[in-house]
Amino acid sequence: TFGGGVDVDGDLDVDGHTNLDNVSIAGVTTITGSQSFLNITSTTQGLGLNLRNTSNEYTRIIFDAARTGASSALGILEGKWNNGNSVCQIYLQSGDDTTNKDDGRISMVVNSAAGQNKTAFRIEPNASVQLPNDSQKLQFGQHQDLSIWHGGSNGYIDNETGNLTFRTTSSNTDAFRITSDGIIETGTAVGASA
């Protein structure tokens, strides 16, 4: 039992359960053990992991896993309710090149109230962005007034408020417009009447 500060030069080997408050570690630190998680527990708001660099450099978190298959999780950031239910995940995954292992993808997964999870958003190794589910909508605006989606057989653009206008921005003219009444207007005169 120590009543004050302890300064250790060299290695410190601690076996068993250890409670440490206000620990500052400088330099390279490795934590190993048979447990699969480093648990940080608190009842205080704002608990977290803070990576801070006080010079003009970046900080990073590295997920390094010896996976051999395509689309395998290399690291997962996961959100859970306090009842243990997992509700969302960000998967950092291996790509398709299992020989060179030089590509990757990012998948964002959400869970429904029924407990089913769906990949909501995916960035592929070729940098294309996918919404991989039928009837999944890409929505725009404060009230999600504009939606683009595919229902499995047909594609849709839903505009809930105002006109839907297709413009040529280099000449600042409207190519055509679909009014909220369903009337289709074409040509540059549309831009003048807007």
Side-chain angles (χ1 to χ4, degrees), residues 151-169:
S153 299
N154 298 297
Y156 300 93
I157 299 175
D158 296 336
N159 187 48
E160 302 293 332
T161 305
N163 300 327
L164 180 61
T165 303
F166 293 82
R167 297 178 31 155
T168 304
T169 57

Side-chain angles (χ1 to χ4, degrees), residues 148-188:
I148 301 173
W149 59 288
H150 194 272
S153 299
N154 298 297
Y156 300 93
I157 299 175
D158 296 336
N159 187 48
E160 302 293 332
T161 305
N163 300 327
L164 180 61
T165 303
F166 293 82
R167 297 178 31 155
T168 304
T169 57
S170 61
S171 60
N172 200 26
T173 58
D174 296 347
F176 73 91
R177 173 188 301 154
I178 303 171
T179 68
S180 57
D181 297 328
I183 298 169
I184 298 175
E185 300 173 343
T186 62
T188 57

Side-chain angles (χ1 to χ4, degrees), residues 67-81:
R67 304 304 298 266
T68 58
S71 299
S72 297
L74 303 172
I76 302 170
L77 299 175
E78 183 174 16
K80 287 187 172 189
W81 281 103

Side-chain angles (χ1 to χ4, degrees), residues 43-172:
T43 58
T44 308
Q45 178 74 17
L47 170 72
L49 177 63
N50 182 6
L51 304 177
R52 184 172 165 225
N53 190 322
T54 58
S55 78
N56 188 21
E57 297 293 333
Y58 61 87
T59 59
R60 65 183 183 172
I61 297 173
I62 298 173
F63 294 97
D64 188 352
R67 304 304 298 266
T68 58
S71 299
S72 297
L74 303 172
I76 302 170
L77 299 175
E78 183 174 16
K80 287 187 172 189
W81 281 103
N82 63 348
N83 63 1
N85 289 338
S86 177
V87 295
C88 56
Q89 305 86 31
I90 299 174
Y91 282 79
L92 305 176
Q93 298 169 280
S94 59
D96 300 321
D97 186 349
T98 58
T99 302
N100 295 321
K101 297 183 178 182
D102 59 358
D103 64 337
R105 68 178 36 87
I106 300 171
S107 297
M108 297 186 183
V109 177
V110 294
N111 297 59
S112 69
Q116 297 177 335
N117 63 349
K118 283 191 173 184
T119 299
F121 180 83
R122 185 168 46 229
I123 302 173
E124 288 294 313
N126 65 0
S128 65
V129 177
Q130 297 180 353
L131 302 178
N133 304 297
D134 285 337
S135 301
Q136 184 178 0
K137 295 181 179 183
L138 180 60
Q139 298 178 318
F140 301 92
Q142 180 179 0
H143 301 288
Q144 295 77 49
D145 296 328
L146 178 65
S147 299
I148 301 173
W149 59 288
H150 194 272
S153 299
N154 298 297
Y156 300 93
I157 299 175
D158 296 336
N159 187 48
E160 302 293 332
T161 305
N163 300 327
L164 180 61
T165 303
F166 293 82
R167 297 178 31 155
T168 304
T169 57
S170 61
S171 60
N172 200 26

